[in-house]
Amino acid sequence: MSFPAIKLSLPAWLCEVLPAPEKVFVTAESRMALVIELAAANIRQGTGGPFGAAVFDLDNGRLIAPGVNLVTATCCSVAHAELVALMTAQRLVGNFSLAAAGCNVELTSSTEPCAMCLGALPWAGIRQLSCGARDSDARAVGFDEGDKPPHWPYLLEKRGIRVLRDICRPQAVAVLEQYRKQGGEIYNGKGQS
């Protein structure tokens, strides 16, 4: 029996949205603005859900890897923006742990991580997580974010991962609401959309 190769590719339109490689993102707000634009472009392009993420080098402010939600485009429930960004960054640096590769990185996510993405963060080797919209904002438009510990930011902090919340939250929430208003597919594990 043979099985198909598993391959996730970033959409071609990303090249049109991403800034020049020398662009420096000094503030959490500037990093979040890019991630929110990725989420909005993902909706416009019809390549997935209303979520964007990126891995940034905290030492020099440079973008290491972008990510957008590819769940519907790839028929893959784990192709969340955060995981796509982390997998891309890990491939680029050549290590499954960004910290072990000597990187001091932040994962910036347009929405707080769901239960699955939250579980991946300690092993990814990130030092900081910045979030735009809250879990409750994603749930308000119909997404099932899974079961997460109530004090998950504290638990990440205990593991040495700093958590920043509500960065550009109104703009991040607007992307979620735009997706719902346009009739975007609300996918979840309940067999419904």
Side-chain angles (χ1 to χ4, degrees), residues 113-127:
C114 70
M116 176 180 64
C117 294
L118 178 64
L121 298 181
W123 291 275
I126 65 169
R127 298 286 185 226

Side-chain angles (χ1 to χ4, degrees), residues 147-184:
D147 300 323
K148 298 189 321 190
H151 304 296
W152 64 267
Y154 168 75
L155 297 173
L156 287 180
E157 297 265 355
K158 277 180 49 177
R159 289 178 166 265
I161 301 171
R162 182 175 180 216
V163 178
L164 306 175
R165 299 171 84 185
D166 300 331
I167 308 297
C168 304
R169 184 178 179 190
Q171 296 91 329
V173 170
V175 173
L176 294 172
E177 292 174 350
Q178 176 73 25
Y179 184 75
R180 184 189 65 208
K181 286 177 188 168
Q182 288 181 328

Side-chain angles (χ1 to χ4, degrees), residues 1 7 13 19 32 37 66-67 71 80 92 151 155 168 184:
M1 175 178 258
K7 181 179 178 182
W13 59 259
M32 187 60 69
E37 175 52 31
V71 169
H80 288 202
L92 287 169
H151 304 296
L155 297 173
C168 304

Side-chain angles (χ1 to χ4, degrees), residues 16-142:
E16 300 166 16
V17 175
L18 293 176
E22 63 272 6
K23 168 88 172 155
V24 175
F25 297 86
V26 178
T27 66
E29 290 78 14
S30 66
R31 295 186 294 272
M32 187 60 69
L34 174 62
V35 165
I36 290 170
E37 175 52 31
L38 292 176
N42 206 35
I43 296 170
R44 286 193 304 273
Q45 297 293 332
T47 47
F51 306 100
V55 176
F56 293 93
D57 186 321
L58 289 171
D59 293 331
N60 63 24
R62 305 267 171 139
L63 172 67
I64 295 175
V68 292
N69 180 283
L70 300 172
V71 169
T72 57
T74 61
C75 297
C76 181
S77 63
V78 300
H80 288 202
E82 298 93 335
L83 297 181
V84 170
L86 290 169
M87 288 187 289
T88 303
Q90 290 164 343
R91 289 298 299 266
L92 287 169
V93 303
N95 198 312
F96 58 86
S97 170
L98 297 167
C103 300
N104 179 29
V105 298
E106 172 185 273
L107 173 66
T108 305
S109 179
S110 63
T111 303
E112 291 178 342
C114 70
M116 176 180 64
C117 294
L118 178 64
L121 298 181
W123 291 275
I126 65 169
R127 298 286 185 226
Q128 185 165 287
L129 169 67
S130 288
C131 307
R134 292 258 178 145
D135 176 280
S136 57
D137 301 323
R139 291 178 192 274
V141 298

